[in-house]
């Protein structure tokens, strides 16, 4: 059951060869074939082996420096130092490796959520299945924006074009038609075929699946070259770069120190070298890149839990900084659960009762609406079915509502007559037409936006009906006009529609706002984010819904036509104050994004259609709808909303802000800590004093704290009030003046505390080793207090909630405390690190010094926060 050249074979022969029919396979036959042919999945591209991926963790300049240091210490036979340095390297690699595995798993899960579905005919009915369940012989239905799920021989094509760049490299969409082409035609010219993995850019199609999985063209060229998602963002890349230069600087300073110590300080060279290596290792922020990457991976997962799927990692930063969200209306701000509530015909106004998509409900007052109902039934691509007593709509919910309405009026919600031709709905022309065969000959039914459809009708008072549509819309109803025309031919003549239609009536549908969207809009206001609604719907409907949702300025509406009259400069001026844009086409979205960006705003834009792709790409954060969005929109987007809900966008913004905060916290904790540790040693050397902390001890501190404590910050939840701050400026540098000041302040305090404790111990006549042990423990205690300070950089740390910390923080602190007790009191470890047991009262003193340090930096923060208010 194989066809070699489906493109040059007629549809009939293809169907025959595959033992299929235009009505689709039966479910049992499809299941049998799935077993025989296997799932419609591309063969996995080979991934790097585990070992290789682990080794790749060592490929990093900071790690090379550490390995160099290990080699030098080994040459000098300082085995303890070598061991500790290697342990640091290993711990980094293990954490990096685990995190990468976790991140990959997260991204793979996301890819699964985004796996495409396909609309197929099975047992004669249209249904949605997983793309992987397709088998040769299936009949697939496609429309603009869909991704082709398998290689298809076209059976029907209306205005069809596809973008086949992934196969042919040609980015201009190719027109597709049913007739066979020459057997030797190159791939790009086989117009009777649609290829797996390509995108339908226009029109509708029905196709016969001829090849699936690895047998498809894309499968044969070795699978999709999967875009390798780099786990990085602009900020992380910037920090990577910063860390690299910082390392060079540290190495240079270390070398100078070595020269100074040897020639001027007259220290022994070997001893000097060890100290310098200790300082360099302490100062180099080797854990920083790994911890930042983990922070990102955790953010991706947190967003996924909130139904926002990150497709491109940089978006995680971008979404946290947005200052405007441009959103669709239908389904995003509203529920997209439609119900026909009112109908207005030349005979009068009728109220329609009922709930959901159930085709039962009274019409008051009674009247003959059967022509209107037939138009609603036939000019329709959806289906409604009753499952477990609940009626659900397959396809466009609005069309589902029209079917329910038809059921209420004529007792039938399944189209009967044969469909001869159709003009599919397109958001640019805003109507749809269907030619069906009826008993008394062919009838064209048209439905669409009132302004568009009324224009095609003859014999009515246009301005009167426009006004009636306007009134309906101002109540927040979505309004459609329906019309019909007799047609004797087999095709719809678009020219004959203009002016030649008989008007049937207006239909008003309710689509209630989502309650959680109202709350989310309020949250945006508090967070200094402006929300703008950009919809294809009527201006009146849009304004009414905008008012109910709570948009800042719902009274002023700009329509697509208004936008067309403004040039880019005027638009940039107007755009800031207007929150509702109605009757827009996808092209307007792109202009709006650019106009807002011209105002220096950082824009999130939602979209679902094929034509929304350019705007999504251009926006700072492009967001596609996961449920009703086309594949084309999803591929262009940075983020996909699994539940199409506006509230999920706001949740993603909150997560994005948290991730950015946590990245900042990781940096703000690491840099001052490293600086503090190294300044202590450098100053001791320059002043010719005894070292308060030995080289080995510095390495030890670095090993146990740098990775563990810093890592805890990656798991921090959102700080309270993170959505009560205005958005950060996207161009704000991470190494801000206040961070630099913090580094200096903390380094100074470290210096004072460590030297203080050290001098106190020396003064009391303690042996040098004990004084050094106390100094080392002081450093660790200061680091822990510093961690608690950093957890709340935007608010006070002196609250019960802040003191409670997170599980991760406490686990890390307990682990470090045990480790410190061990090296201080366990004799075997004392021998290795040169430590001595610290008397109880001195231990308490160290904690008091830590508390004082905390009090100083906390008060300093309160002063700074106070000044900003
Ligand atoms: P958004 O999702 O941005 O709020 P929308 O879904 O309201 O936009 P479109 O889908 O572009 O916008 O629809 C615009 C208008 O086209 C609708 O207000 C309606 O009048 C008409 N329309 C929508 N869908 C159909 C359809 N299937 N058949 C006929 N007309 C339609």
């Amino acid at each position: 059951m194989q066809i070699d050249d489906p493109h040059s074979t007629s549809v009939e022969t293809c169907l025959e060869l595959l033992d299929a029919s235009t009505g689709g396979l039966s479910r049992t036959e499809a299941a049998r074939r799935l077993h025989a042919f296997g799932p419609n999945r591309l063969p996995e591209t080979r991934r790097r082996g585990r070992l290789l991926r682990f080794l790749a963790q060592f490929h990093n300049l900071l790690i090379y420096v550490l390995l160099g240091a290990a080699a030098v210490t080994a040459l000098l036979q300082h085995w303890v130092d070598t061991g500790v340095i290697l342990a640091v390297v290993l711990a980094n690699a293990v954490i990096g490796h685990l995190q990468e595995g976790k991140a990959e798993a997260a991204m793979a899960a996301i890819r699964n959520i985004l796996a495409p579905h396909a609309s197929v005919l099975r047992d004669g009915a249209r249904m949605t299945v997983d793309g992987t369940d397709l088998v040769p012989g299936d009949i697939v239905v496609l429309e603009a924006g869909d991704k082709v799920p398998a290689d298809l021989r076209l059976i029907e094509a209306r205005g069809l074009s596809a973008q086949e760049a992934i196969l042919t490299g040609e980015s201009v969409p190719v027109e597709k038609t049913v007739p066979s082409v020459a057997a030797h035609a190159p791939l790009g010219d086989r117009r009777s075929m649609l290829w797996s993995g390509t995108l339908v850019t226009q029109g509708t199609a029905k196709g016969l699946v001829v090849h699936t999985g690895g047998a498809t063209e894309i499968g044969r060229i070795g699978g999709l070259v999967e875009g390798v998602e780099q786990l990085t963002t602009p900020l992380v890349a910037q920090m990577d770069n910063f860390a690299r230069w910082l390392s060079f600087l540290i190495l240079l300073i270390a070398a100078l120190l070595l020269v100074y110590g040897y020639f001027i300080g007259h220290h022994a060279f070997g001893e000097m070298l060890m100290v310098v290596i200790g300082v360099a290792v302490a100062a180099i922020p080797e854990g920083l890149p790994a911890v930042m990457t983990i922070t990102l991976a955790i953010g991706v997962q947190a967003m996924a839990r909130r139904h926002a799927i990150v497709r491109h990692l940089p978006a995680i930063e971008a979404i946290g900084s947005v200052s405007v969200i441009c959103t669709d209306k239908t389904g995003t701000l509203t529920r997209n659960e439609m119900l026909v509530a009112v109908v207005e015909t030349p005979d009068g106004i009728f109220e329609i009762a009922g709930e959901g998509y159930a085709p039962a409900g009274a019409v008051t007052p009674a009247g003959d609406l059967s022509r209107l109902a037939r138009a609603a039934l036939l000019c329709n691509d959806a289906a409604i079915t009753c499952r477990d007593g609940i009626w659900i709509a397959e396809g466009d919910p609005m069309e589902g509502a029209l079917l329910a309405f038809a059921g209420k009026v004529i007792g039938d919600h399944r189209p009967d007559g044969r469909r001869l031709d159709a003009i599919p709905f397109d958001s640019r022309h805003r109507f749809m037409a269907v030619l069906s065969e009826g008993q008394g000959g062919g009838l064209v039914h048209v439905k669409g936006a009132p302004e568009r459809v009324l224009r095609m009708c003859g014999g009515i008072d246009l301005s009167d009906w426009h006004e009636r549509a306007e009134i309906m819309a101002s109540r927040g109803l979505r309004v459609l006009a329906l019309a019909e025309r007799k047609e004797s031919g087999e095709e719809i003549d678009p020219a004959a529609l203009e002016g030649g239609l008989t008007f049937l009536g207006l239909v008003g549908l309710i689509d209630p706002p989502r309650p959680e969207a109202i709350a989310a809009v309020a949250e945006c206001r508090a967070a200094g984010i402006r929300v703008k609604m950009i919809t294809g719907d009527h201006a009146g409907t849009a304004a009414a819904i905008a008012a109910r949702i709570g948009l800042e300025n719902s009274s002023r509406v700009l329509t697509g036509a208004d936008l067309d009259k403004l040039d880019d400069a005027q638009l940039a001026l107007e755009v800031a104050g207007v929150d509702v844009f109605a009757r827009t086409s996808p092209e307007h979205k792109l202009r709006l994004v650019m106009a807002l960006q011209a105002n220096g705003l950082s824009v999130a834009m939602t979209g679902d259609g094929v034509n929304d792709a350019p705007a999504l790409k251009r926006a700072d954060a492009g967001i596609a709808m996961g449920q009703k969005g086309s594949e084309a929109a999803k591929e262009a987007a940075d983020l996909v909303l699994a539940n199409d809900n506006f509230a999920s966008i706001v949740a993603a913004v909150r997560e994005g802000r948290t991730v950015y905060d946590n990245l900042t916290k990781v940096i703000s904790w690491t840099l001052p800590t490293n600086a503090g540790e190294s300044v202590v040693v450098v100053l001791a050397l320059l002043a010719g004093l005894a070292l308060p902390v030995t080289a080995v001890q510095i390495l030890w501190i670095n090993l146990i704290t740098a990775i563990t404590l810093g890592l805890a910050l990656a798991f921090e939840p959102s700080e309270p009030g993170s959505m009560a701050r205005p958005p950060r400026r996207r161009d704000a540098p991470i190494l801000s003046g206040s961070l630099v000041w913090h580094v200096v302040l903390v380094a100074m305090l470290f210096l004072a505390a460590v030297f203080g404790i050290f001098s106190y111990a020396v003064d009391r006549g303690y042996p040098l080793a004990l004084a050094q042990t106390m100094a080392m423990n002081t450093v660790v205690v200061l680091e822990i207090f510093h961690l608690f300070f950093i957890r709340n950089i935007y608010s006070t740390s002196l609250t019960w909630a802040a003191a409670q910390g997170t599980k991760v923080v406490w686990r890390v602190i307990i682990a470090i405390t045990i480790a410190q007790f061990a090296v201080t009191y366990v004799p075997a470890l004392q021998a290795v690190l040169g430590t001595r047991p610290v008397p109880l009262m001195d231990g308490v003193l160290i904690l008091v010094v830590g508390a004082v340090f905390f009090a100083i930096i906390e008060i300093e923060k309160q002063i700074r926060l106070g000044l900003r208010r």
Side-chain angles (χ1 to χ4, degrees):
M1 226 203 285
Q2 280 291 345
I3 312 179
D4 291 332
D5 288 323
H7 58 280
S8 61
T9 312
S10 73
V11 173
E12 292 70 31
T13 317
C14 287
L15 285 168
E16 212 170 289
L17 284 171
L18 286 173
D19 197 9
S21 75
T22 47
L25 299 172
S26 68
R27 280 186 221 200
T28 41
E29 177 59 14
R32 198 188 62 74
R33 290 191 189 189
L34 186 61
H35 190 70
F37 288 93
N40 176 32
R41 199 179 286 138
L42 291 182
E44 293 248 328
T45 35
R46 262 170 53 83
R47 299 196 322 152
R48 274 187 301 167
R50 260 172 169 246
L51 182 70
L52 216 64
R53 279 190 293 148
F54 181 67
L55 288 181
Q57 297 295 331
F58 295 90
H59 179 55
N60 173 329
L61 183 84
L62 306 191
I63 298 297
Y64 291 155
V65 173
L66 294 190
L67 288 176
V72 174
T73 51
L75 275 181
L76 296 172
Q77 300 188 340
H78 282 264
W79 302 118
V80 176
D81 305 60
T82 319
V84 176
I85 297 178
L86 287 182
V88 173
V89 171
L90 205 67
N92 251 309
V94 168
I95 289 187
H97 184 66
L98 291 182
Q99 149 271 308
E100 200 173 75
K102 204 172 160 189
E104 266 181 21
M107 293 310 264
I110 282 168
R111 238 173 268 134
N112 268 340
I113 301 178
L114 295 180
H117 295 269
S119 209
V120 293
L121 299 181
R122 295 253 171 102
D123 287 329
R126 186 172 165 171
M127 58 195 289
T128 307
V129 300
D130 279 348
T132 50
D133 288 345
L134 289 183
V135 292
D138 262 328
I139 304 290
V140 174
V141 185
L142 293 166
E143 55 187 71
D146 286 344
K147 195 168 182 174
V148 181
D151 284 1
L152 307 178
R153 171 67 171 92
L154 286 172
I155 300 178
E156 251 178 59
R158 285 186 219 284
L160 185 67
S161 355
Q163 208 263 27
E164 306 187 325
I166 58 159
L167 265 187
T168 60
E170 174 60 56
S171 62
V172 179
V174 197
E175 256 180 61
K176 296 284 175 174
T177 48
V178 177
S180 332
V181 299
H184 58 266
L187 210 60
D189 291 343
R190 299 186 181 173
R191 293 177 187 273
S192 55
M193 300 288 295
L194 280 177
W195 310 109
S196 180
T198 60
L199 280 172
V200 179
T201 51
Q202 258 182 35
T204 57
K206 206 184 253 186
L208 168 72
V209 175
V210 288
H211 294 299
T212 58
T216 57
E217 286 302 324
I218 189 85
R220 270 191 271 173
I221 60 171
L224 274 176
V225 190
E226 253 180 44
V228 190
E229 183 73 45
Q230 285 280 330
L231 213 54
T232 188
T233 66
L235 175 61
V236 174
Q238 190 189 336
M239 280 318 290
D240 246 359
N241 198 23
F242 167 78
R244 204 167 312 140
W245 285 108
L246 186 65
S247 312
F248 283 125
L249 183 68
I250 289 166
L251 288 181
L252 184 68
I253 293 177
L256 290 177
L257 211 56
L258 184 64
V259 171
Y260 176 90
Y262 182 65
F263 289 106
I264 301 172
H266 302 293
H267 292 283
F269 186 76
E271 188 189 305
M272 216 25 236
L273 191 62
M274 292 314 300
V275 172
V276 165
I277 287 176
V279 173
V281 173
I284 290 176
E286 70 278 347
L288 194 58
V291 175
M292 289 187 74
T293 318
I294 296 174
T295 311
L296 286 181
I298 290 170
V300 169
Q301 285 176 324
M303 285 206 191
R305 272 198 299 279
R306 301 231 156 24
H307 310 286
I309 314 298
V310 180
R311 286 192 71 246
H312 298 299
L313 263 167
I316 219 171
E317 266 171 35
I319 187 78
S321 74
V322 297
S323 41
V324 186
I325 302 177
C326 297
T327 172
D328 289 351
K329 173 177 70 69
T330 312
T332 312
L333 291 171
T334 65
R335 292 198 198 173
N336 210 6
E337 287 164 8
M338 304 247 184
L339 182 70
V340 175
V342 215
V343 161
E344 193 161 355
T345 70
D347 294 339
I349 300 180
F350 303 86
E351 306 271 336
I352 318 291
E355 262 180 41
Y357 296 104
V363 177
T364 34
D368 180 19
L369 296 177
S370 58
R371 269 171 86 193
L372 184 74
R374 286 202 68 75
L377 180 69
L378 293 172
C379 190
N380 204 311
D381 286 324
I384 52 172
T385 48
C386 185
R387 262 186 226 154
D388 305 329
I390 298 171
W391 284 85
I392 51 168
E394 288 259 2
D396 183 352
M398 185 181 74
E399 296 196 333
L402 289 175
L403 291 180
F405 163 67
K408 292 170 193 175
V409 176
I410 51 177
D412 197 354
H413 61 267
R414 271 179 293 252
D416 37 15
R418 193 163 70 93
R419 183 182 281 197
L420 298 172
D421 194 14
I423 301 177
F425 172 74
D426 183 317
S427 52
R428 277 173 300 194
H429 59 235
R430 296 198 185 92
F431 74 92
M432 138 174 197
V434 167
L435 168 60
S436 328
E437 202 175 44
Q439 287 128 359
L443 264 184
V444 180
H445 289 112
V446 176
K447 76 171 196 294
E451 335 66 288
R452 186 70 191 87
V453 175
L454 286 171
R455 237 197 301 150
M456 303 175 176
C457 298
I460 48 163
D461 181 349
L462 272 184
S463 60
D464 178 44
W465 279 102
H466 275 301
E467 203 172 306
R468 288 169 192 241
E470 207 70 51
I471 293 170
M472 233 190 230
S474 63
R475 289 165 53 196
L477 294 172
R478 167 175 265 229
V479 189
L480 280 181
L482 289 117
E484 67 175 18
R485 175 179 197 275
K486 286 211 165 59
E487 173 69 64
S488 46
E490 293 254 311
E491 274 176 25
I492 302 177
D493 173 9
L497 294 183
E498 304 294 337
L501 294 181
T502 310
F503 175 68
L504 295 176
L506 297 175
V507 173
L509 299 108
I510 32 178
D511 178 15
R514 291 174 183 261
E516 63 274 26
I518 300 175
V521 166
E523 192 174 355
C524 283
R525 265 198 193 190
I529 300 169
R530 192 87 183 228
V531 179
K532 296 184 189 285
M533 175 199 281
I534 302 180
T535 173
D537 217 333
H538 190 279
T541 316
I545 298 284
R548 265 189 245 167
I549 292 277
L551 295 195
E552 237 161 283
N553 178 8
S554 58
S555 53
R556 186 143 176 250
V557 181
L558 279 187
T559 64
D562 297 334
L563 293 179
D564 289 336
K565 287 188 211 125
L566 300 173
D567 65 22
D568 288 349
Q570 288 167 320
L571 181 60
L573 280 179
E574 289 281 333
V575 74
V578 182
D579 289 342
V580 187
F581 299 88
R583 285 291 187 240
T584 53
S585 314
E587 298 76 53
H588 294 128
K589 286 193 172 178
L590 181 61
R591 283 193 70 204
L592 286 171
V593 169
M594 296 202 286
L596 288 165
Q597 284 173 337
N599 282 324
L601 296 166
S602 183
V603 186
M605 168 65 85
T606 68
D608 46 21
V610 221
N611 305 320
D612 289 338
L616 294 184
K617 279 207 180 122
R618 175 67 200 236
D620 297 275
I623 304 171
M625 300 299 144
Q627 290 175 2
K628 72 165 188 169
S630 62
E631 285 302 316
K634 290 183 204 169
E635 297 214 337
D638 304 302
L639 242 78
V640 177
L641 294 186
N643 61 358
D644 292 10
N645 192 337
F646 180 76
S648 304
I649 304 178
V650 183
V653 171
R654 187 181 321 113
E655 287 303 332
R657 288 186 172 193
T658 304
V659 167
Y660 192 87
D661 280 354
N662 288 354
L663 291 174
T664 318
K665 288 177 185 181
V666 168
I667 297 167
S668 311
W669 183 80
T670 307
L671 295 185
T673 306
N674 284 13
E677 278 174 36
S678 23
V679 159
V680 167
V681 179
V682 171
L683 250 131
L685 275 179
L686 292 182
L689 303 170
L691 283 184
V693 190
T694 68
V696 148
Q697 286 166 356
I698 290 185
L699 290 175
W700 161 257
I701 295 174
N702 217 39
L703 167 65
I704 64 151
T705 61
I707 298 161
T708 49
L709 286 179
L711 194 59
L713 289 171
F715 294 87
E716 281 296 293
S718 308
E719 253 190 63
S722 73
M723 289 297 273
R725 300 196 298 264
R728 70 166 199 278
R729 290 187 58 90
R730 276 206 80 182
D731 50 2
I734 184 96
L735 288 175
S736 57
S738 65
L739 179 58
V740 173
W741 157 240
H742 184 68
V743 173
V744 172
L745 176 71
V746 170
M748 289 305 130
L749 291 174
F750 262 61
L751 195 66
V754 173
F755 268 106
I757 286 283
F758 183 73
S759 324
Y760 155 84
V762 170
D763 197 48
R764 296 203 63 175
Y766 289 168
L768 179 65
L770 176 56
Q772 286 173 329
T773 310
M774 286 170 63
M776 172 188 68
N777 276 302
T778 309
V779 173
V780 175
V781 166
L782 293 184
E783 289 188 358
I784 293 176
F785 274 106
H786 191 205
L787 181 74
F788 269 91
F789 167 82
I790 288 293
R791 290 190 60 231
N792 294 284
I793 30 177
Y794 293 104
S795 50
T796 172
S797 315
L798 300 174
T799 61
W800 175 232
Q804 270 179 321
T806 60
K807 258 193 214 147
V808 185
V809 165
W810 283 111
R811 264 187 225 145
V812 162
I813 289 178
I814 289 170
I816 288 182
T817 312
I818 294 173
Q820 281 309 114
F821 269 96
V823 295
T824 309
Y825 297 106
V826 176
L829 293 173
Q830 288 173 349
V832 177
L833 287 177
T835 47
R836 296 284 176 278
V838 175
L840 179 69
M841 279 326 287
D842 292 325
V844 173
L845 178 68
I846 292 173
L847 289 181
V848 170
V849 168
V852 172
F853 161 79
F854 181 74
I856 294 176
I857 49 179
E858 187 64 31
I859 291 171
E860 189 267 346
K861 172 168 75 185
Q862 297 297 344
I863 294 174
R864 246 182 317 120
L865 290 179
L867 284 182
R868 214 179 289 160
R869 256 174 229 127

